[in-house]
Amino acid sequence: MADTTRADTLERSRGRLRRQQALTAAGLAGPATFLLFLLLLGPTTAVVALSFTDWQFGAKSLNLIGLGNYAEMFGDRVFWRSLRNTLVYVAITVPTSVLLGLGFALLIEARSSAQGFYRTVYFLPVTATLIAMAVVWEFLFHPNIGLVNLLLGLVGIRGGHWLNNPATALYALAAIGVWQSLGFNVVLFLAGLKSVPRDLYDAAAVDGADSAWERFRRVTWPMLGPTLMFVLVIMAIRSFQVFDTVAVLTSGGPNKSTEVLLYTMYTEGFTYFRSGYASAITVVFLAFVLTLTLLQARILDRRVHYT
Amino acid sequence: MAQVELTGIAKSFGEVRVLRDVSLEIRDGEFVTILGPSGCGKSTLLRIIAGLERQDAGRIRIGARTVDTLRPNERDIAMVFQSYALYPHLTVAGNLALPLRMRLLSWQQRLPGARWFSPHIRAVERDINRRVSEAAALLQMETLLPRKPAQLSGGQKQRVAVGRAMVREPRVFLMDEPLSNLDAELRVHMRAEIAQLHRRLGVTFIYVTHDQAEAMTMSDRVVVMMDGQPLQFSSPGAIYSDPVDLRVARFVGSPRINTLPGVTTGRRSIDLAGLELPFDVALAAGERVTVAIRPAATGVAGQHGLPGSGVPGLSGRLVHRENLGSDLFLHARIDALDTTVIVRQDPSAIDAFPLGMQLQVDIPVDQALAFNSAGARIRSRVVARAAAS
């Protein structure tokens, strides 16, 4: 009898303790949670909500129109053009800049001297303001005095007006995108290469994997797996966000050939003030980025088996 | 037959001379340990034998072949690394199979899917799988085969690394401090396992370590290396009791050997602060020498008012005691020589030695070793006679 009472009291005080701990935990996590809602989840929810309305920027009233914006969007040729251009841009810049980045990183790593110099040189475009650099690229791509066409002329190729030709404008922008992100990838890959244990190369040599290709295939490539996944996903997200070169150099033209998602969203939302419609485009954009992020979380966690 | 013969190996990294004129002859099937402090060049020597590093001068023969220009995998060797160096993306089975796949299959045959087209490849792969499971059975790690290295403990990783070296059936096993990342208990256990493995395989083992316990317990012969040169190459027993160099005497043995500064008298004896040790060597008077004696070889005379044992002794004061359970080490301060001597006693006698007591430390002449000022051993005929009797 007395024992039960004691056990009850003990149970009660334990429960009280647990409640107190939960309260403390909530209190400590509170500020971060609050900011998370205020800065991330709140705006995102607002955008999703706005995409179901016909709200115009500055208007005092709005009407719920359900999936009206989406229906309009999916029926609009400009949207499909813009989505396709974005995907083409991503499909060009991601593999090119990742493979080139890996190649340059391997070359720099193989050199014993001046590694710091090359690292800095390749990283410069990342730190430079892309809008300022875009002006430089406009000069480089100039049909008559541009360096690109001058160089091509030396080998007998007549280059056109890269940024004004609907057939080449998107590719010219992709080239700038590769140039800009290459250094970022080089630096990440260099860090990845530095973390490959030297002993593994020795073990591979003793095991018979001592040609450059076998070393790469047996040790470097698998050990770079986590870095590679990270670089791929980051690059994909960054490429999806392409905007500044389009805005400065082509404004989506000529003839919508460089219209990309974020630029379409920008013109709809901030030129025509159709905030509801722009929100719908943003939701599509968010869906792509979110998918990539989830992919990264999933695959990366499963593939990182190294300690 | 795979004896390993090194002749005049030298190696420098920039200005630093890591190895100078190393010559060794290792017999077929022998377990040889290269023992030395860190930075003595022992790992570099092993890497040169493996072919991971090229020597600046000298020749290496493994078996009947000169291997100087051969790549590591053509030298018929296998190596176990301190960090294990397992491929983290492969399972244990994959790790064990890789050296065999590299050797038995050409690169075309290793292409994914190639096995579907060729019964020959499938036969080779069956053979590889059989050898992998044999090695796993021998090392008692069959259950580990499907795991990745990250899921293994240190000892298991070590075992996999040994297994990967074993499946190749090399004629020479090279091991670079394979136990130094393990905890003390596991180290002792793996010591026995590696020695057993050597007996079972019967091939030549070259083992590099800075741990004298590993060297003493596993090897047939030990090379003690210092400053890029082998100082002594003999059995563990001789390394301990008959060192040819003062540095060897100091490096081997725990606690460290006692070293006492002495001066030759010119009367076939050495003077230790008034104590005259008979030493049957012809040395001019007044030469500085070092007399070294193991703590276990010393004794305490005249305790409990008993008369001295008749061997010459040094008087000192007990300043510190260490009771290890199996041994009791007394630290005796010898003021006359300005040094401390460690004396081993039986722990049961601990009560007989209160701190601060005056005691007489025996220096049995037949156990004492003398070294000249350059550190080289001075052999005494007295020692030879005493050992013979």
Side-chain angles (χ1 to χ4, degrees), chain B residues 20 33 68 79-80 120 134 163 197 247 307-308 351-352:
Chain B
R20 34 189 106 196
T33 300
D68 295 334
M79 187 152 169
V80 177
H120 168 69
E134 271 174 20
L197 184 73
R247 287 173 289 175
D351 293 333

Side-chain angles (χ1 to χ4, degrees), chain A residues 197 199-211 214 217-219 222-223 305-307, chain B residues 47 52 71-73 77-79 81 83 85-89 98-99 102 110 148 150 164 168:
Chain A
D199 273 357
L200 271 186
Y201 289 112
D202 290 343
V206 173
D207 286 343
D210 55 356
S211 66
E214 286 291 349
R217 160 152 165 44
R218 301 280 163 197
V219 181
M223 293 305 284
H305 35 63
Y306 316 136
T307 47
Chain B
R47 292 171 58 82
L52 294 170
R71 295 185 306 187
N73 64 316
I77 50 116
M79 187 152 169
F81 297 86
S83 63
L86 302 177
Y87 305 106
H89 57 289
L98 185 71
M102 294 303 296
R110 287 197 303 266
K148 293 265 175 77
R164 185 175 62 181
R168 303 170 46 109

